[in-house]
Amino acid sequence: MGRKIHRVKIMTRQRSLFPMVFSRMVVIFCLACSGGLVWSQEQVLDPINNVDPWESTNRKIFAFNETLDRWILKPVAEGYNFVMPDIAKRGVTNFILNMYEFNSVLNGILQGKFSGAATSGGRFIINSTVGLAGLIDVATPMGIEPQRMDFGQTLAVWGVDTGPFVMLPLFGPRTVRSATGYFVDTYSSIPAWIEDRYIPWTFWTIEVIDFRASLLQSEDLITGDRYIFLRDAYLQRREFYDSGGVVKDNFSDFQETDEEWEEF
């Protein structure tokens, strides 16, 4: 009798998970499709291909983000830096990056970069086991270098245009293409598939704090108009990332390291 009840519970759980998984895949598909429609219409309206046609609105959102950062996020990041030893912060960063190796595997397959996908899969297995759930990057010293790939890059490989620059509330600078990719990657990441919603939200919160803390020492490099500086820096780095390291211009989504591939 007990076995029958247990079997019924498992079957019920599997049925309840199917609508959740299916709905996520529908959302991912709609985001990818709708994103392309939005900026293709904008390019028709903007024949000179201005990268920031929504600057007026973007600046208002940027001001909101700056206020939020000044009073909440930056103080929290500074406290995080003060409390956490360097080795602990490195472990947290490694754990976060290891989680996103799964996304690199998926995007590598979608881009036809099967060697890169295999490398990311190998890194994930090694660091998740020998590296104590990813807290220690064991794979890199072994010569297995990171192959960071996200869905924004996948869209670029598929020939989807970058689209206008957009400043998102809370999420910061993006292009329409990279914004679409960001949310697709979020919905397809390992934490997103965990049914207990407390776990993924905790993971994403720590991810934001850890990344903001990594930028504290770079703030002195910002000069002039902060909006223009951060916009141009983001667009250049995103172009560098999407093109696989091919730079198309000389003017001046991360620091130039393999580890810090996350966007602003």
Side-chain angles (χ1 to χ4, degrees), residues 2-194:
R3 290 182 180 178
K4 290 183 178 180
I5 294 175
H6 182 65
R7 201 170 297 153
V8 169
K9 286 183 178 179
I10 292 176
M11 293 178 64
T12 304
R13 180 181 175 84
Q14 289 175 339
R15 291 194 191 100
S16 65
L17 283 175
F18 177 76
M20 179 179 66
V21 173
F22 179 75
S23 63
R24 283 179 179 161
M25 298 308 297
V26 170
V27 169
I28 290 173
F29 177 79
C30 291
L31 280 171
C33 293
S34 63
L37 292 175
V38 169
W39 75 74
S40 63
Q41 293 173 357
E42 178 60 38
Q43 287 179 338
V44 172
L45 297 174
D46 183 33
I48 63 173
N49 198 28
N50 177 20
V51 296
D52 193 6
W54 307 325
E55 182 174 350
S56 177
T57 301
N58 283 337
R59 281 186 177 273
K60 294 176 182 177
I61 298 174
F62 177 72
F64 168 78
N65 288 346
E66 287 280 277
T67 301
L68 190 68
D69 180 76
R70 184 182 305 113
W71 293 105
I72 299 178
L73 187 54
K74 183 178 179 180
V76 171
E78 290 174 334
Y80 175 84
N81 259 0
F82 180 78
V83 173
M84 294 282 284
D86 290 341
I87 189 172
K89 287 187 291 184
R90 182 72 262 177
V92 171
T93 301
N94 286 340
F95 177 80
I96 293 170
L97 292 174
N98 188 57
M99 288 292 101
Y100 286 107
E101 292 286 4
F102 177 74
N103 291 79
S104 294
V105 173
L106 294 180
N107 285 293
I109 294 172
L110 292 175
Q111 294 175 29
K113 300 177 180 178
F114 301 110
S115 175
T119 299
S120 296
R123 284 181 56 84
F124 179 75
I125 293 172
I126 293 172
N127 288 339
S128 297
T129 53
V130 183
L132 303 179
L135 293 174
I136 304 173
D137 182 4
V138 180
T140 300
M142 293 174 60
I144 308 176
E145 298 293 335
Q147 304 288 323
R148 311 297 184 194
M149 292 172 280
D150 63 18
F151 195 70
Q153 187 187 56
T154 298
L155 291 175
V157 171
W158 290 353
V160 178
D161 291 329
T162 303
F165 175 79
V166 57
M167 183 67 67
L168 297 179
L170 304 178
F171 298 101
R174 295 286 190 276
T175 63
V176 175
R177 183 176 68 195
S178 69
T180 303
Y182 173 80
F183 290 108
V184 171
D185 283 322
T186 299
Y187 269 91
S188 59
S189 65
I190 292 177
W193 298 95
I194 299 175

Side-chain angles (χ1 to χ4, degrees), residues 60 88 99 131 187 199 235 243 246 249:
K60 294 176 182 177
M99 288 292 101
Y187 269 91
I199 296 177
L235 291 175
S243 63
V246 178
D249 51 53

